Every structure is written in structure tokens, then in C-alpha cells.
């Protein structure tokens, strides 16, 4: 792993690892037999045998592919593929607006999924296509590196800045000067970053259990694990700590290019599908017995760390309607929602009880009612909060002030 930081070619960093393994194992064998009535020849034979056994065992653990079935994402009728100027290949689907709808504008609604890398266009369409009844076209797409969209040869190119540029290029592609952005989780971070960089291209903003809009010293991405039963948590940890899987994760943190050279997208995406499915109950207040799970998740776009700048100063000058829906059982901090409400001059906060991070899957009718009223310029059926203090029954972390 240390060698991979400077040499991304597998032959180079695996050769360095093998050298350390050989020298370390041989030295350990010599130390273990020191002071005993063992001839030099036998000590050398023991050292050689130890090296062979160690190399075979470690090689079997970290070289043999993980073997998870690579299940492609479910096909979506009418989906199209587009090659954007950035080099990203994007999959997207369009739902025409109902001409008889009562929307207060004609800009399309663009849905931004979370993760990064958790694209679920088929299941998301079931919910978000209902918004087209208001009269606006609804557009869903898989961000690059996930779902039906293409993967990048260089995983370090998965950045928030690239996602912002891709969103702008998608709007150009569909002929939209402005759009209503609906962002879930990391999609909320993306919506905020796009608005900060392109305030004239945003007609309204809706955030569903949004991600961060400023740097945080604490990582919250694994908070859903705390909501799992002990048995399920042990099963998840067993999958995460399997030697090759752990090696792939550590290598990605050291040098994503080196990791992808040894661990192809299809293998790591399949493992991400598996671990996401194991952790999915943590996304709900009351987990369903058989949740609709996505396939084709993007490992590298999720595992490569993104830099989140402080977006609050730029958002302070954006005067468009905005709403933040914060669920009761969200594993993300309360402040991820209140940061947006405090930064955006025309934002309101709606607290959704009985819902977890997957709020529109757990409380579809309630969330749809709020979004429908917001898009029509009407009063929310769930009264917005009059203060930014967390309710007594909020079960997630509070976050930094």
C-alpha cells in the first residue's frame, strides 16, 4: 500500500509487497529457530518453506477475485445515453409534464441521486414521475461512475466539480436554461454546489435528507451501520473485512489509480452492491422486510474522497424558493439540513416524522405532498419548522454547530 502511493502499476507495488513479505517471513523464521539445536541448512529450509506458505496464503487472500455476482442495473424504458463534453457518458430518462398540471413554472425538474454512486433510476422513477402531474417535465440521470452511466479510467476524476459540470452539460443537452433541482443525500450537496456556481440556472431547490455543504472534521458516511441489528452488523463487517475487499479499500485510499489497476470496476461495484444491501435497513425508521434494492452501484465514485468546500457564502446570495426535508431517523447530522436553511434566504425546513434517510421510499405520500405543494407555490401539508432546533424525537446525530 505504501509503494502504491508512488507507483500505481500493479507489478511495481505488488513486487514491493512481495519483497517485504519474503524478507519479513524469512527473518521471522530465523528468529523463531534461533538458539535451538537446528542446523543452518534446516533453518534455511524452514525459512524458505515459511516464505512459500505465506506467499501462497496471502496471494490467495488478496489476489483471487471476490466473486460477487455483477448484476446490471434494471433497464429503464426510454432511457438514453449521452456523451458530455467532460468525457462523461451519462444515462438519463425524461418524463413529460402533464399539460393540465398546476405548476407555477415550466422549468424541468432534475432529480439528483445520492451516494455518491447510489444510482437507482428504475426505483426513483416510480416516485419522482408523480411530480410530472404538476406540469413540469421530470428528468432523472445516473451520475458518472454509477448505474447505467459510464465509468472513468482515472478514478481521481470523480469530483464534485465534475458532477457540477456534468449537470450543466445535461441541462444544455435537454435545452433547459434553468431547472428545479431535487437532490437526495449527496444529490443535495451537488444541487447546492451547482446553485453556488450557476445561480442564474436554478429556478428552485428541494433537498431531501441532504448531505454536507461545508467541510466536516467527522465522517458520517457509515452512520447507517449503527442502526443495524448486531447480527446484520457482524455480517456486514465480515464482508467489509474480507482480505481482498479490505485491501481494495485501503489501496483506494492510498492511490485510486493503483486500486483500479488491480481491482476492476465490475468486481468492486458488485461488492458495493452487496455491502449496500446489507446496510440498507439503516436507511429507514422501520425497515421493510423486502426493500427494493438497486444494482450497478459505483464503488470508485463513492470510495474516492471528495472535497466539499464551504458553500454557505455563495448560497447566501441566491433568492429562489427552497425547501429542506429532514427525516426523523436520518443517519446524517441535523446540521446538514439546518446549514442549508440558514444559508439560503428563502428556504424552509420540513421535518418528516417516521422516515429515515430513504424518506421518499418510506413515506412516499407525505413527501410527495410536500414537494407537490412546493412546486405549485402552495402551503406545505406538513407545516415548516419555526426554529432550527432538533425535535426531541430526532434520532440522528446533531453535528457541529
Amino acid at each position: 500500500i505504501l509503494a502504491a502511493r508512488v507507483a500505481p502499476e500493479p507489478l511495481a507495488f505488488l513486487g514491493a509487497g512481495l519483497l517485504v513479505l519474503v524478507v519479513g517471513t524469512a527473518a521471522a523464521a530465523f528468529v523463531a529457530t534461533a538458539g535451538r539445536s537446528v542446523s543452518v541448512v534446516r533453518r534455511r529450509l524452514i525459512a524458505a518453506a515459511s516464505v512459500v506458505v505465506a506467499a501462497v496464503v496471502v496471494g490467495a487472500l488478496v489476489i483471487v477475485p471476490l466473486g460477487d455476482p455483477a448484476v446490471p442495473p434494471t433497464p429503464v424504458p426510454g432511457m438514453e445515453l449521452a456523451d458530455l463534453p467532460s468525457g462523461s457518458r451519462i444515462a438519463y430518462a425524461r418524463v413529460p409534464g402533464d399539460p393540465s398540471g398546476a405548476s407555477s413554472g415550466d422549468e424541468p425538474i432534475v432529480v439528483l441521486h445520492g451516494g455518491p454512486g447510489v444510482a437507482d433510476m428504475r426505483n426513483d422513477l416510480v416516485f419522482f414521475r408523480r411530480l410530472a402531474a404538476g406540469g413540469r417535465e421530470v428528468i432523472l440521470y445516473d451520475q458518472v461512475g454509477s448505474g447505467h452511466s459510464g465509468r472513468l479510467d482515472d478514478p481521481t476524476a470523480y469530483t464534485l466539480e465534475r458532477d457540477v459540470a456534468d449537470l450543466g452539460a445535461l441541462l444544455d443537452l435537454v435545452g433547459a436554461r434553468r431547472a428545479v433541482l431535487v437532490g437526495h443525500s449527496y444529490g443535495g450537496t451537488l444541487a447546492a454546489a451547482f446553485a453556488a456556481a450557476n445561480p442564474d440556472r436554478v429556478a428552485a431547490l428541494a433537498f431531501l435528507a441532504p448531505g454536507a455543504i461545508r467541510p466536516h472534521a467527522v465522517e458520517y458516511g457509515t452512520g447507517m451501520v449503527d442502526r443495524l441489528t448486531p447480527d446484520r452488523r457482524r455480517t456486514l463487517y465480515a464482508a467489509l473485512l474480507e482480505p481482498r475487499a479490505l485491501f481494495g479499500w485501503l489501496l483506494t485510499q492510498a492511490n485510486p489509480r493503483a486500486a483500479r489497476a488491480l481491482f476492476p470496476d465490475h468486481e468492486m461495484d458488485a461488492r458495493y452492491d452487496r455491502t449496500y444491501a446489507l446496510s440498507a435497513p439503516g436507511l429507514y425508521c422501520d425497515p421493510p422486510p423486502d426493500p427494493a434494492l438497486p444494482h450497478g452501484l459505483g464503488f470508485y465514485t463513492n470510495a474516492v474522497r471528495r472535497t466539499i468546500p464551504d458553500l454557505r457564502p455563495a448560497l447566501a446570495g441566491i433568492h429562489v424558493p427552497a425547501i429542506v426535508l429532514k427525516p426523523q431517523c436520518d443517519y446524517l447530522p441535523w446540521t446538514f439540513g439546518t446549514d442549508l436553511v440558514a444559508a439560503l434566504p428563502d428556504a424552509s425546513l420540513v421535518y418528516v416524522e417516521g422516515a429515515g434517510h430513504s424518506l421518499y421510499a418510506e413515506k412516499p405520500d407525505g413527501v410527495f405532498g410536500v414537494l407537490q405543494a412546493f412546486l405549485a407555490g402552495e402551503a406545505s401539508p406538513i407545516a415548516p419548522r419555526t426554529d432550527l432546533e432538533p425535535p426531541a424525537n430526532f434520532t440522528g446525530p446533531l453535528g457541529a454547530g
Side-chain angles (χ1 to χ4, degrees):
I1 290 173
L2 290 174
R5 294 181 66 89
V6 295
E9 298 80 11
L11 284 178
F13 65 78
L14 289 178
L18 181 61
L19 178 62
V20 171
L21 177 68
V22 168
V23 173
T25 304
F30 268 98
V31 170
T33 56
R36 303 187 180 186
S37 57
V38 180
S39 68
V40 174
V41 173
R42 290 194 64 187
R43 292 180 68 191
R44 289 175 179 173
L45 288 174
I46 292 172
S50 301
V51 167
V52 171
V53 171
V56 170
V57 171
V58 173
L61 291 175
V62 303
I63 301 301
V64 177
L66 293 169
D68 298 306
V71 181
T74 307
V76 174
M79 186 189 75
E80 300 181 54
L81 291 171
D83 292 315
L84 304 182
S86 64
S88 300
R89 167 159 280 203
I90 294 297
Y92 68 100
R94 305 173 72 170
V95 181
D98 184 346
S100 64
S103 173
S104 60
D106 58 1
E107 298 91 351
I109 300 167
V110 180
V111 179
L112 311 175
H113 67 75
V118 184
D120 192 11
M121 192 186 298
R122 178 61 183 266
N123 288 323
D124 283 353
L125 264 174
V126 174
F127 175 80
F128 288 106
R129 72 182 310 129
R130 298 170 64 184
L131 297 178
R136 297 178 188 263
E137 178 184 31
V138 176
I139 301 171
L140 298 94
Y141 76 102
D142 293 344
Q143 295 152 28
V144 68
S146 62
H148 299 87
S149 291
R151 272 51 173 175
L152 301 178
D153 292 335
D154 180 3
T156 63
Y158 292 121
T159 63
L160 178 60
E161 292 75 17
R162 187 191 190 99
D163 288 339
V164 167
D166 284 351
L167 175 53
L170 179 65
L171 294 184
D172 294 339
L173 179 70
V174 300
R177 189 182 69 83
R178 299 204 309 162
V180 175
L181 302 183
V182 179
H184 174 237
S185 194
Y186 170 74
T189 301
L190 173 55
F194 183 84
N198 306 275
D200 58 326
R201 304 203 69 178
V202 176
L205 293 162
F207 302 92
L208 312 181
I213 62 166
R214 59 183 167 115
H216 283 264
V218 179
E219 293 290 338
Y220 295 100
T222 58
M224 69 179 78
V225 177
D226 297 334
R227 299 179 175 276
L228 303 179
T229 63
D231 285 346
R232 198 172 188 94
R233 196 178 306 161
R234 281 191 291 270
T235 304
L236 174 62
Y237 285 151
L240 293 172
L241 297 176
E242 190 174 330
R244 180 168 168 86
L246 181 60
F247 182 36
W249 169 260
L250 294 173
L251 201 58
T252 301
Q253 305 313 301
N255 188 334
R257 294 188 182 98
R260 189 175 180 273
L262 187 62
F263 297 85
D265 286 295
H266 65 84
E267 179 184 3
M268 300 308 288
D269 289 355
R271 176 49 59 106
Y272 188 27
D273 279 6
R274 179 182 169 190
T275 55
Y276 182 87
L278 289 170
S279 61
L283 300 172
Y284 299 86
C285 259
D286 185 16
D290 188 23
L293 295 171
H295 295 287
L297 304 184
F299 170 79
Y300 284 110
T301 187
N302 179 272
V304 175
R305 292 179 180 273
R306 278 167 165 75
T307 300
I308 308 297
D310 192 343
L311 300 171
R312 293 174 297 174
L315 295 177
I318 299 176
H319 293 270
V320 298
I323 191 168
V324 178
L325 280 70
K326 186 66 176 177
Q328 176 186 349
C329 302
D330 198 359
Y331 72 86
L332 294 180
W334 177 258
T335 53
F336 280 20
T338 56
D339 280 351
L340 282 160
V341 179
L344 289 161
D346 303 310
S348 59
L349 177 65
V350 171
Y351 183 60
V352 184
E353 296 197 61
H357 192 67
S358 292
L359 68 171
Y360 59 87
E362 192 165 15
K363 295 292 181 181
D365 292 338
V367 173
F368 173 71
V370 173
L371 291 178
Q372 185 183 45
F374 172 71
L375 294 169
E378 300 171 353
S380 171
I382 303 177
R385 302 273 307 173
T386 57
D387 62 70
L388 301 185
E389 294 300 312
N393 66 348
F394 178 67
T395 65
L398 299 182

